[in-house]
Amino acid sequence: MQDGTATDAPGFSEAEQALLARYLTNTDRRVFALRNLPEVVKGALFSRYSRTEKSLRRVLLDEFLSNPAAGIAPEPGGSDDLVDVARGEDFYERVLVGYGDDSVAELAGAHIAVEQVSNLAAKALEDSRIGISPLEKSTRYVRFDRRGSDGLFPYHRGPELAHPAYLPAMDALFSAYSEMVAPLIENVREAHPKEAGETERAWKSATRAKALDLLRGLLPASTLTNLGLYGNGRAFEYLLTKLAASDLPECRDLAGEMHAELEQVIPAFVRRALDDRYGAPAAAYMATARSRAAGLAPRQDSSLPVPAGVRLVDFDTDAERRVVAAALFPYSDLPLDDLQGLDLDVEAVMRALMEERANRRHRAPRALEQTHYTFEITANFGAYRDLQRHRMLSQQRQLLGTSLGYDVPAELTAYGMAEAFHSAVEQAAGAHKILEDALGPTLAQYSVPLAFRLRWYFQASLREVYHLCELRSGREGHPDYRHVAQEMFRRVREVHPRLVAHARFVDLGLGDQLARRASERRIDRKLTELAGSTSPSRGPLAERST
Ligand SMILES: Cc1cc2nc3c(=O)[nH]c(=O)nc-3n(C[C@H](O)[C@H](O)[C@H](O)COP(=O)(O)OP(=O)(O)OC[C@H]3O[C@@H](n4cnc5c(N)ncnc54)[C@H](O)[C@@H]3O)c2cc1C
């Protein structure tokens, strides 16, 4: 086996080898990948590992390919097979039931596209820690004022929002965005002329991104977006149940719509998500717990606008001992608590762990997960929208409203557009108040522009602090979340300077005014390399974020 050859390879007939070759990347080595098989088959096949002595190739031949109940109809020489999942449903059910543990549903995944959903729903769809990987339309690279084929601005208009104040308020925000965007792009271009050696593409892209960054605060939370989610069956099952429990009708509708599509590709893995036996009672439990906790939560009658900021609410006073002991534990033969009790050289250990880090992708080691920080963050919804995407931490937010005030990008004043921004946002705040009284604070969130602040907490390990602060303080990022990342880092440095001494890739600088300029130049270099020419052309890469 040292040469990578599998023991069962000689046991296959030529016909079997030909068949296997269609589904596996090789028929004789100990490492191989599955291909041309639907997700349900891959999941069911892997689940057999825990219950059989046979090799996977033998299982595939004996139990799946030669079994009509599996719904696979291999035709040698034919094109890739499609399993008749409906026909094979009982078969897969039996295989998976035989496995008996929920984790089998992690063995198959699906890509699902979800389009034309509000930013609020997008946040709910992206609110998973493990097993779901989302990618969403950017507010920086995509203009949001394009009217749909119906001639309407792109915002959520569910029947739950039927109120005379809603549509005019949303139209007013989109009109303001729409009227300001072209002149602002021109102003930004005048202020940041094309530099020598910069391509037209890079300059236009960087200046446009700047203008869209400055204006995105006008977009309401109802703004429609598109996203793609890749996830495993187990994560989807939980996500669907959570969506079904949501207090937003839009999310509850999405639970049903997504379930219907996932049932077509990974039915065995999402069957329970909404059913009467498991899913529905789980969703009911979540909804009940939410409303009971809400009934107990103290509230203040009115709150004053608060400045955006990051507070360190909680941290371990013995963090250094914990981290250093955990760092040495694998190389010691002492119990962990004995190591924690020793007077170890913190700086020497931290140097040993991280002095050699050459860039932010050289990850801080796992020992840094031994200590946690709880941050309470007050920042605008735009910054929240971006930072919420971090999964290696615990987070919860309060309702989005207008009472904590809003942010106006300082540069808009220089471009003479701050007044128009203020006026659109103030008008939206008035409409929000009316909708809050009429529809309640949960639904009224749809009407709130991204410029308004909300409060949320992050509880993150020191390792995630390194990751998030280094990634999100980068100059190419949006200034609003850069500021939050920088502040998080400063709060930790105030209490544990020795523990963050090696977070060298946190950028505490102000950044230049055209954040995307350097990134766009990098993209040009990549395009040039790819094209093997000196004149980068427009293409998919040119449109991507980094
Ligand atoms: C400049 C910039 C532009 C961006 N543009 C967009 C955009 O246009 N559209 C968009 O949707 N998002 C965009 N993002 C968000 C980005 O895609 C990430 O969702 C976000 O930065 C969270 O980062 P993370 O996954 O590294 O962090 P975390 O979720 O905090 O995870 C920390 C680390 O854990 C590991 N990890 C966590 N989950 C998984 C997993 N499921 N599989 C494998 N490894 C995992 C990874 O190593 C990861 O780096 C942008 C981010 C930046 C910084």
Side-chain angles (χ1 to χ4, degrees), residues 126 129-138 140-141 363 386 389-393 464 467 471-472 476-477 481 516 545-546:
E126 292 163 351
R129 251 175 305 202
I130 297 179
I132 302 274
S133 300
L135 208 82
E136 188 191 336
K137 189 165 158 179
S138 164
R140 166 178 271 183
Y141 307 103
R363 294 182 194 200
D386 294 336
R389 295 288 299 283
H390 287 274
R391 296 155 292 181
M392 288 294 188
L393 40 69
E464 180 68 357
H467 173 68
L471 176 68
R472 295 299 190 160
E476 69 282 6
Y481 73 63
R516 286 292 306 171
S545 67
T546 53

Side-chain angles (χ1 to χ4, degrees), residues 263-394:
E263 266 200 315
Q264 296 180 42
V265 283
I266 47 170
F269 303 117
V270 293
R271 178 149 307 119
R272 300 180 311 186
L274 305 177
D275 71 3
D276 290 340
R277 188 159 171 214
Y278 299 101
Y285 151 70
M286 288 179 207
T288 306
R290 190 175 56 231
S291 81
R292 287 183 61 183
L296 297 173
R299 298 187 61 83
Q300 49 194 1
D301 288 340
S302 64
S303 48
L304 294 171
V306 292
V310 175
R311 293 196 306 127
L312 183 58
V313 176
D314 200 13
F315 61 95
D316 297 324
T317 47
D318 59 350
E320 289 191 344
R321 279 182 189 279
R322 283 166 175 270
V323 170
V324 167
L328 301 188
F329 179 78
Y331 318 106
S332 168
D333 57 0
L334 294 181
L336 185 60
D337 45 353
D338 285 4
L339 280 169
Q340 286 174 346
L342 295 178
D343 195 16
L344 298 164
D345 184 340
V346 175
E347 284 171 2
V349 174
M350 295 306 283
R351 273 202 307 277
L353 286 181
M354 287 187 291
E355 204 167 33
E356 312 289 322
R357 292 183 77 223
N359 61 61
R360 67 172 176 79
R361 289 191 173 83
H362 289 182
R363 294 182 194 200
R366 205 173 262 199
L368 275 65
E369 291 177 14
Q370 277 294 308
T371 193
H372 289 79
Y373 301 86
T374 305
F375 305 92
E376 186 196 81
I377 300 165
T378 305
N380 62 54
F381 190 67
Y384 168 78
R385 175 189 171 278
D386 294 336
L387 293 173
Q388 183 251 8
R389 295 288 299 283
H390 287 274
R391 296 155 292 181
M392 288 294 188
L393 40 69
S394 285

Side-chain angles (χ1 to χ4, degrees), residues 222-233:
S222 62
T223 304
L224 297 180
T225 184
N226 296 338
L227 60 160
L229 305 168
Y230 172 71
N232 67 53

